[in-house]
């Protein structure tokens, strides 16, 4: 039998960690204001702490689909690196390099999840599609002139298309059967 989690101890631990997080955020803001007012590095610390809490609280929830977690991480990490880019002077590295790397990694992760548990592909299908749609954002950014590097956008989009095609190829029959069963087609 699995060991039951003591809710009271868990809530106490979460409260202590939340207090530590708040103290660290306040101390970093104070040190930033006293020592280096011209560069707001404390905002990076505060944003990172918020990101950790979003991830932690989402991970603690029971029955969280791994693919939904990958989608959430893709969105949160993308926002985090974009905010950090803005804080340090907006050099567009978040859009031109980090965002394609994050999206490529999430596409590969969903693809591996599909291979490992192809019998339950339908659970990952919507998340695969959502990440594929997000993968088109670098293409839009490139063709609208927001970003100027062709290679990261091409690699990111290529990975997205290949993983979607491979996922459909590997699990197409199971997906078709599941759709027929679910929607009485």
């Amino acid at each position: 039998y699995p060991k039951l989690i003591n809710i009271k101890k868990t809530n106490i631990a979460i409260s202590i960690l939340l207090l530590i997080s708040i103290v660290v955020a306040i101390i970093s803001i104070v040190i930033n204001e006293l020592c280096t007012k011209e560069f707001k590095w404390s905002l990076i610390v505060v944003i990172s702490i918020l990101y950790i809490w979003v991830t932690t609280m989402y991970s603690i929830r029971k029955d969280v689909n791994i693919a939904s977690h990958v989608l959430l991480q893709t969105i949160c990490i993308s926002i985090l690196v974009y905010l950090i880019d803005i804080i340090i002077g907006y050099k567009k590295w978040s859009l031109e390099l980090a965002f394609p790397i994050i999206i490529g990694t999430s596409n590969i992760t969903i693809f591996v999840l599909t291979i490992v548990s192809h019998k339950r592909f339908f659970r990952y299908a919507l998340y695969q599609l959502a990440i594929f749609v997000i993968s088109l954002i670098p293409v839009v950014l490139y063709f609208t002139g927001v970003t100027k590097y062709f290679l990261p956008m091409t690699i990111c989009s290529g990975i997205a298309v290949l993983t979607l095609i491979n996922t459909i190829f590997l699990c197409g029959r199971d997906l078709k059967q599941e759709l027929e069963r679910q929607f009485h087609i």
Side-chain angles (χ1 to χ4, degrees):
Y1 293 102
K3 191 173 185 177
L4 295 176
I5 298 173
N6 186 332
I7 301 290
K8 186 175 180 183
K9 286 182 181 179
T10 303
N11 288 341
I12 290 171
I14 289 174
S15 297
I16 290 170
L17 291 172
L18 182 61
L19 180 64
I20 291 170
S21 299
I22 292 169
V23 168
V24 167
I26 291 171
I27 289 173
S28 68
I29 292 170
V30 169
I31 291 172
N32 190 191
E33 287 299 314
L34 293 175
C35 298
T36 54
K37 290 182 180 180
E38 61 277 354
F39 179 61
K40 299 294 183 193
W41 56 265
S42 61
L43 290 176
I44 297 172
V45 174
V46 171
I47 291 169
S48 299
I49 289 171
L50 289 173
Y51 167 74
I52 290 169
W53 275 103
V54 167
T55 301
T56 303
M57 296 315 288
Y58 190 78
S59 299
I60 288 175
R61 286 184 32 204
K62 293 191 185 271
D63 299 326
V64 172
N65 187 334
I66 296 172
S68 71
H69 196 69
V70 171
L71 178 63
L72 176 75
Q73 290 299 316
T74 301
I75 293 167
C76 288
I77 291 172
S78 298
I79 292 169
L80 177 68
V81 295
Y82 183 73
L83 291 174
I84 290 172
D85 190 13
I86 289 172
I87 291 168
I88 63 174
Y90 194 58
K91 307 288 186 202
K92 292 188 180 180
W93 61 266
S94 61
L95 298 177
E96 293 176 340
L97 297 172
F99 193 53
I101 290 170
I102 293 165
I103 290 173
T105 304
S106 64
N107 271 299
I108 292 169
T109 303
I110 290 290
F111 179 63
V112 169
L113 284 172
T114 303
I115 290 173
V116 170
S117 60
H118 65 90
K119 295 287 184 196
R120 295 178 289 173
F121 168 71
F122 196 74
R123 292 180 59 196
Y124 303 139
L126 291 176
Y127 300 105
Q128 171 77 38
L129 186 60
I131 291 175
F132 178 77
V133 170
I134 292 171
S135 301
L136 298 177
I137 293 173
V139 175
V140 172
L141 292 175
Y142 178 77
F143 285 112
T144 57
V146 174
T147 60
K148 60 182 177 181
Y149 294 114
F150 182 74
L151 189 60
M153 178 272 306
T154 305
I155 293 171
C156 167
S157 301
I159 290 172
V161 169
L162 286 175
T163 56
L164 185 65
I165 289 170
N166 284 328
T167 300
I168 291 171
F169 177 72
L170 288 174
C171 306
R173 189 176 337 168
D174 295 332
L175 179 60
K176 182 182 174 198
Q177 290 173 352
E178 188 66 28
L179 286 172
E180 288 172 352
R181 189 177 69 79
Q182 291 286 334
F183 297 110
H184 308 290
I185 298 175

